[in-house]
Amino acid sequence: MDPIVQITSNLKKRKAQGEATFPLDDLHQDLLERVLARVPPSSFFSLRSVCRRFSSVATSPSFHVACSQIDSREPWFLMVDHDLHRASLVFDSSEKNWRSVKAMNNSNKSIPVASSGGLVCYKTEAGELFVSNPVTGVCRELPSVTRLTSSETLHAIAMHSSKQNPSAYRVVLVFGEIPNLAFVVFDSAKNLWEEEVTLVRKTDSSSDVDVNGEEEVYFLSKTGDVVASNMQRSPSKQYSSVLTIENGEEMLYFLSHSGTVISCNLTQRTFFELPRLLPVYFEYSIDVIECGGEMLVVVLSEFLETSSLRFWKYSSRDRSWYQVAAMPASLSHEFYAKKVDINCVGHGDEVLLCVNSSECSSCLMCDLKNNKWVEMPKCYVDGKEKEFLSAFPFEPRLEAIV
């Protein structure tokens, strides 16, 4: 039997029999660190106040190595509310409750824009980028991107961290005006931005995508309002994108201003606009997520006096979208005629959905594999209910280095 499991079993037996508990002080430091590395992070923080030895473990390099050997941890979700610059509340998906983390310094007015592994990337109003570990509160400013001028449009900010090396991560920026797109990558191991790479556009004659660019289209809504086809996104989701590995190639997906999904093959240095899910004159809310290692699109739309929320997967083989899941009609109908905006994030098989409008606000969790939906518990601060606009998933890892 694993010695850690044996020790835990002995502790439980002795406690049940009323005997003195196993003296943890007698444990060898290496074994103690292996035990504590398996403790849920929230419980470990409580244990740090038990004794000085437990508290000192948190900064031990060998303890960080033991933590890095834990393949995965249940995610925490950093929540963003209307006060965009003070994101310090997280939802602990393992314990299904709320807790606080160390917020970024608000003097530079930074908002979270991407996350991966145990790290979160922030962007300031002035355009600087910071990477932070929300658990430890440690952060660093990335070198400035000299090739990205204020006149160039920034479309996407994505992160990828290495599970094998907690101190290695990459930040990807996609910028330019369609069809003239480029990307640049920050490599933490080298502590520099790599050379700018131009993306070459691939076209498909069978697609209905407008290859001449993203011209704004105006149409009448069902209520008689003049509506622009250009999509308005909440500031914290303005640069959201998805990084995946497909057939050994690194892919990045983001939403264009007109609501089409842009597929960037960073390995082949090409990009392609995927076919629209709905006509441009439809009113709908859309988001792109990564779930189970795949890119999915979430669409909330209205049809025949009701609302539907559906998950779609794109097949490159026949260049078509296929529905893979849907919110039960009894839930999605609640959003009808409320001009709801959705912001979603995925982690593993879980999806967190933030629903917002002037008439309603709620957060739901979906087990996509089983299509099981649960409304998240309400969060109250100083007696007031918080309304969240978006979220960023990360694994609570003390060993994640910025």
Side-chain angles (χ1 to χ4, degrees):
M1 179 182 292
D2 188 323
I4 297 176
V5 176
Q6 183 66 57
I7 290 171
T8 305
S9 177
N10 290 341
L11 284 170
K12 291 180 179 178
K13 288 179 181 177
R14 294 185 184 190
K15 188 174 181 180
Q17 295 170 2
E19 299 179 15
T21 58
F22 189 91
L24 288 178
D25 282 342
D26 291 345
L27 281 179
H28 186 275
Q29 184 71 11
D30 177 67
L31 187 54
L32 175 64
E33 290 176 354
R34 290 175 59 197
V35 171
L36 294 179
R38 295 194 179 190
V39 172
S42 54
S43 300
F44 173 74
F45 297 141
S46 300
L47 286 174
R48 290 181 62 178
S49 61
V50 172
C51 66
R52 186 175 300 174
R53 188 183 180 196
F54 283 9
S55 181
S56 65
V57 165
T59 57
S60 166
S62 54
F63 173 65
H64 289 177
V65 172
C67 289
S68 67
Q69 293 172 351
I70 306 299
D71 288 338
S72 63
R73 296 190 185 275
E74 292 295 315
W76 289 4
F77 293 88
L78 179 66
M79 308 301 293
V80 180
D81 60 15
H82 293 279
D83 189 356
L84 302 173
H85 309 297
R86 292 186 179 275
S88 61
L89 290 171
V90 299
F91 180 73
D92 183 342
S93 65
S94 63
E95 300 189 2
K96 310 300 181 188
N97 61 13
W98 299 96
R99 61 181 68 256
S100 297
V101 294
K102 298 177 181 179
M104 282 282 292
N105 186 351
N106 194 38
S107 62
N108 54 21
K109 294 186 177 181
S110 59
I111 61 174
V113 290
S115 63
S116 180
L119 303 174
V120 177
C121 180
Y122 294 78
K123 181 178 180 294
T124 69
E125 289 184 347
E128 298 102 340
L129 295 174
F130 289 80
V131 172
S132 170
N133 182 332
V135 174
T136 63
V138 178
C139 72
R140 65 170 291 193
E141 182 179 359
L142 301 187
S144 60
V145 190
T146 56
R147 292 174 294 279
L148 184 59
T149 64
S150 58
S151 61
E152 290 181 299
T153 301
L154 181 60
H155 293 281
I157 303 175
M159 282 191 73
H160 174 74
S161 57
S162 170
K163 289 188 176 181
Q164 291 73 29
N165 184 357
S167 63
Y169 60 87
R170 298 165 70 240
V171 178
V172 183
L173 309 182
V174 179
F175 57 92
E177 298 295 339
I178 296 176
N180 303 310
L181 293 180
F183 74 92
V184 64
V185 177
F186 174 79
D187 187 334
S188 66
K190 301 175 182 176
N191 192 34
L192 55 78
W193 291 95
E194 298 176 352
E195 290 298 318
E196 175 185 324
V197 177
T198 300
L199 290 167
V200 178
R201 186 178 199 162
K202 293 176 63 177
T203 58
D204 177 10
S205 58
S206 64
S207 172
D208 60 355
V209 174
D210 176 16
V211 297
N212 296 317
E214 290 199 308
E215 293 186 1
E216 196 166 14
V217 176
Y218 296 88
F219 61 94
L220 285 177
S221 69
K222 291 185 296 184
T223 58
D225 299 323
V226 177
V227 179
S229 61
N230 272 9
M231 186 175 55
Q232 302 297 317
R233 306 210 70 188
S234 59
S236 64
K237 296 287 287 185
Q238 186 176 355
Y239 310 108
S240 66
S241 54
V242 169
L243 269 176
T244 64
I245 303 296
E246 301 175 15
N247 300 318
E249 298 180 336
E250 190 172 29
M251 305 292 297
L252 184 146
Y253 299 90
F254 68 92
L255 290 173
S256 71
H257 295 307
S258 64
T260 59
V261 179
I262 307 296
S263 168
C264 302
N265 188 320
L266 303 184
T267 304
Q268 294 189 9
R269 303 181 176 187
T270 60
F271 79 95
F272 174 66
E273 293 172 87
L274 303 187
R276 285 185 177 276
L277 273 160
L278 292 173
V280 67
Y281 51 82
F282 264 54
E283 291 183 84
Y284 58 91
S285 184
I286 184 172
D287 208 351
V288 58
I289 64 171
E290 181 270 331
C291 207
E294 296 182 321
M295 184 276 294
L296 299 178
V297 170
V298 188
V299 178
L300 175 68
S301 59
E302 296 184 359
F303 185 67
L304 296 178
E305 306 302 318
T306 191
S307 291
S308 68
L309 187 141
R310 304 173 188 273
F311 294 81
W312 300 85
K313 178 182 176 181
Y314 182 73
S315 170
S316 57
R317 182 185 307 175
D318 54 11
R319 299 182 177 88
S320 300
W321 292 96
Y322 292 91
Q323 180 180 313
V324 295
M327 177 184 281
S330 57
L331 289 176
S332 60
H333 182 70
E334 296 295 321
F335 308 141
Y336 178 68
K338 294 181 180 178
K339 295 185 177 180
V340 162
D341 178 44
I342 59 168
N343 288 305
C344 316
V345 289
H347 189 282
D349 291 324
E350 288 188 308
V351 177
L352 188 152
L353 174 73
C354 294
V355 180
N356 284 278
S357 76
S358 59
E359 300 179 45
C360 68
S361 176
S362 64
C363 294
L364 301 98
M365 293 288 295
C366 172
D367 176 353
L368 199 60
K369 191 173 183 179
N370 301 304
N371 199 27
K372 181 180 179 181
W373 292 81
V374 177
E375 186 170 4
M376 292 167 56
K378 301 295 184 182
C379 178
Y380 294 90
V381 176
D382 298 330
K384 296 181 180 180
E385 181 181 339
K386 300 291 288 185
E387 295 184 356
F388 296 110
L389 304 177
S390 58
F392 293 86
F394 67 95
E395 294 185 16
R397 289 188 173 273
L398 286 165
E399 74 276 16
I401 302 173
V402 302

